[in-house]
Amino acid sequence: MKHTIGVFLCLFIFHSLTFAQENLSLTSAIETTLKNNYFIQISRNSNEISKNNNSLGNAGFLPSLDLNATISNSRNNTKQKYSNGNEVNSNNASTDNINAGARVTWTLFDGLKMFAAKSRLGLTEEASTIQLKIAI
């Protein structure tokens, strides 16, 4: 009798554990696969990169701005004797030099190269969108 109750309890416990998982539907399986597939994630990232690269600045329509600045500092020791007998001794004489510059360059016409570059960037974006659809 005790043996029968023990077997019954074991079967009841294992039976309840087997039904503890939720059912996986087809749509949730597809969603999980699309979310966790590395090839699809890489394709999505490549598509986002190509969308960001398709801009007027990358095609050459916008001006470029260059800024630079330099600071130089020097210290010198000087010992001079003049012909009239005067002497100049200078220790740790410092010289500071600061330069700054800005340059703006804007190509107004380059033989329609910028239009071709913009078209190429648009085609690259379309191709990456198609590759993403193929991957999915």
Side-chain angles (χ1 to χ4, degrees), residues 7-132:
V7 170
F8 178 71
L9 286 174
C10 287
L11 287 176
F12 179 74
I13 291 171
F14 287 125
H15 178 70
S16 64
L17 289 177
T18 57
F19 290 106
Q21 300 172 354
E22 64 181 70
N23 292 333
L24 184 64
S25 66
L26 180 62
T27 56
S28 64
I30 291 173
E31 287 175 4
T32 304
T33 302
L34 292 177
K35 181 179 153 188
N36 296 331
N37 190 334
Y38 289 121
F39 184 70
I40 294 173
Q41 289 177 2
I42 290 171
S43 296
R44 280 189 183 131
N45 290 341
S46 297
N47 190 21
E48 286 298 318
I49 289 169
S50 65
K51 284 181 183 178
N52 289 336
N53 285 340
N54 189 10
S55 67
L56 294 176
N58 285 339
F61 282 92
L62 301 178
S64 64
L65 174 65
D66 297 324
L67 301 171
N68 65 3
T70 58
I71 298 174
S72 64
N73 184 356
S74 64
R75 298 200 185 277
N76 297 319
N77 294 330
T78 305
K79 186 174 184 181
Q80 294 178 333
K81 288 185 182 181
Y82 294 107
S83 60
N84 62 2
N86 290 340
E87 289 186 16
V88 175
N89 291 326
S90 176
N91 293 327
N92 289 327
S94 67
T95 303
D96 296 326
N97 188 7
I98 300 173
N99 292 322
R103 182 178 71 178
V104 176
T105 330
W106 196 350
T107 304
L108 297 177
F109 183 74
D110 63 351
L112 303 176
K113 179 182 167 186
M114 61 182 81
F115 293 101
K118 180 67 172 131
S119 175
R120 180 180 46 84
L121 290 171
L123 291 174
T124 304
E125 180 182 352
E126 288 177 22
S128 71
T129 303
I130 291 170
Q131 286 175 350
L132 175 62

